[in-house]
């Protein structure tokens, strides 16, 4: 059909008349909906999203005693399900260790990773991942018992440090000690529960991972959280983002713009509680996001109410942060870099139009 339209547009036009036609050609091309790839088609046919999550990081993805998952990473997956199927519950969570996660994604065991994974150049290229928008700006830190008497990571020369293998954390640890001309003895343990147990049993002088992860471990697993201190230095930049495998641009587009919808909803003041009151809002940005005007859903290959379903069932980014990581959670983290750009943070959505 597209070829016929182009032929009809160009056929028989004199040379000087081709300029307007050529200007119109990109608009014709842009008007065609993107073709779904194998992953997006398979997800739609299956009726559920298979989401790779961590094996248990407080505030990000943690199962309770009944197997129900909570955390901001799991809520990102629920937002994708709400927008695609109109039902946030159509997600199967697959717990993956740091060493399992990339193989599971590339083999098709999961459709995406939403498991506190750092966006880096090597993962974006050699590992074959496409990262969506950052959902949490983090940095690697160190935690130590107060009884050790240290107030800075630079006082850990010669210390034993608990660290998980197969992570950027392991490399950052080595880089930090080398840069500061210090030595350390790594205690490398893969399983999340085992490394936590080792640290609290006193096998390590320090424990290193993302600062948010340390806050979660201290608040939920320590018998007395006040006995442990998170040292002030952030030794790396850790932008955490969901990721899909290379090869299906429409699935990538859908994942990316669903995360942006959460951020833009907060920018526009839309919440799970008030979104129904805005269905007749005259603001064209709200109309497009909620599907009351425009064709944003069609461009993504989903229902026109995509954005409405996401916000109604999940909320906006600020709601997710507050519930899972903020003052209403056990972690009680400040928004910091994860505040909206209008509030001094880095959270910013391109226009949805």
């Amino acid at each position: 059909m597209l070829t016929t339209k182009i032929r009809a547009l160009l056929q028989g036009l004199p040379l000087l008349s081709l300029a307007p036609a050529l200007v119109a050609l990109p608009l014709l091309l842009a008007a065609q909906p993107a073709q779904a790839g194998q992953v997006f088609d398979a997800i739609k046919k299956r009726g559920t999203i298979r989401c790779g999550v961590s094996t248990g990081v407080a505030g990000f993805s943690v199962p309770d005693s009944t197997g129900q998952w909570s955390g901001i990473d799991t809520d990102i997956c629920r937002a994708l399900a709400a927008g695609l199927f109109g039902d946030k519950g159509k997600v199967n969570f697959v717990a993956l260790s740091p060493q399992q996660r990339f193989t599971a994604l590339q083999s098709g065991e999961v459709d995406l990773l939403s498991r506190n994974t750092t966006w880096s150049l090597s993962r974006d290229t050699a590992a074959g991942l496409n990262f969506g928008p950052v959902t949490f700006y983090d940095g690697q830190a160190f935690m130590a018992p107060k009884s050790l008497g240290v107030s800075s990571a630079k006082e850990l020369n010669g210390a034993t440090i608990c660290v998980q293998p197969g992570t950027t954390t392991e490399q950052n640890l080595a880089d930090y000690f080398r840069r500061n001309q210090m030595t350390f003895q790594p205690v490398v343990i893969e399983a999340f529960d085992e490394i936590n147990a080792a640290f609290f049993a006193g096998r390590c002088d320090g424990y290193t991972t993302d600062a948010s992860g340390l806050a979660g471990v201290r608040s939920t697993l320590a018998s007395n959280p006040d006995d442990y201190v998170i040292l002030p230095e952030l030794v790396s930049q850790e932008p955490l983002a969901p990721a899909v495998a290379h090869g299906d641009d429409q699935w990538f587009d859908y994942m990316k713009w669903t995360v942006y919808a959460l951020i833009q909803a907060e920018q526009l003041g839309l919440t799970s509680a008030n979104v129904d009151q805005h269905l007749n809002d005259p603001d064209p940005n709200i109309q497009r996001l909620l599907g009351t005007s425009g064709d944003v859903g069609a461009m993504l290959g989903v229902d026109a109410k995509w954005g409405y379903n996401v916000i109604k069932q999940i909320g906006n980014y600020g709601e997710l942060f507050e519930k899972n990581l903020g003052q209403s959670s056990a972690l009680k983290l400040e928004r910091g870099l994860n505040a909206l750009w209008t509030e001094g943070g880095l959270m910013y959505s391109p226009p949805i139009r």
Side-chain angles (χ1 to χ4, degrees), residues 79-202:
L80 293 170
L84 182 55
F85 301 117
D87 183 349
K88 67 178 182 180
K90 295 200 170 182
V91 183
N92 290 328
F93 294 107
V94 181
L96 299 170
S97 72
Q99 293 180 318
Q100 294 171 326
R101 54 184 164 174
F102 301 137
T103 301
L105 182 60
Q106 295 294 356
S107 67
E109 180 183 347
V110 296
D111 303 314
L112 81 153
L113 296 177
S114 184
R115 57 156 333 281
N116 61 307
T117 297
T118 298
W119 185 355
S120 69
L121 184 148
S122 60
R123 292 171 176 178
D124 209 338
T125 55
L129 275 60
N130 280 331
F131 284 87
V134 174
T135 52
F136 189 84
Y137 288 94
D138 209 346
Q140 185 174 331
F142 294 88
M143 180 165 64
K146 279 187 178 178
S147 60
L148 195 64
V150 299
S151 58
S152 167
K154 292 183 179 179
E155 299 175 42
L156 292 175
N157 189 27
T160 54
I161 307 293
C162 279
V163 62
Q164 281 187 292
T167 64
T168 55
T169 306
E170 192 175 19
Q171 183 62 55
N172 293 336
L173 170 63
D175 288 349
Y176 179 77
F177 274 79
R178 186 181 302 113
R179 184 166 61 248
N180 287 282
Q181 299 182 323
M182 303 190 314
T183 63
F184 72 99
Q185 180 64 44
V187 177
V188 181
I189 302 173
E190 180 179 354
F192 185 71
D193 56 347
E194 292 178 11
I195 194 171
N196 294 330
F199 173 70
F200 290 120

Side-chain angles (χ1 to χ4, degrees), residues 197-218:
F199 173 70
F200 290 120
R203 286 183 56 191
C204 313
D205 299 315
Y207 182 4
T208 187
T209 188
D210 294 345
S212 61
L214 294 176
V217 167
R218 182 177 64 174

Side-chain angles (χ1 to χ4, degrees), residues 295-333:
D295 57 356
V296 170
M299 286 189 280
L300 290 172
V302 295
D303 188 81
K305 295 181 67 177
W306 151 78
Y308 168 82
N309 287 331
V310 169
I311 300 163
K312 180 66 176 177
Q313 297 186 32
I314 300 298
N316 63 39
Y317 176 80
E319 290 180 89
L320 299 192
F321 186 99
E322 178 62 21
K323 176 180 70 172
N324 294 300
L325 305 170
Q327 299 305 304
S328 297
S329 74
L331 274 66
K332 300 190 181 304
L333 298 179

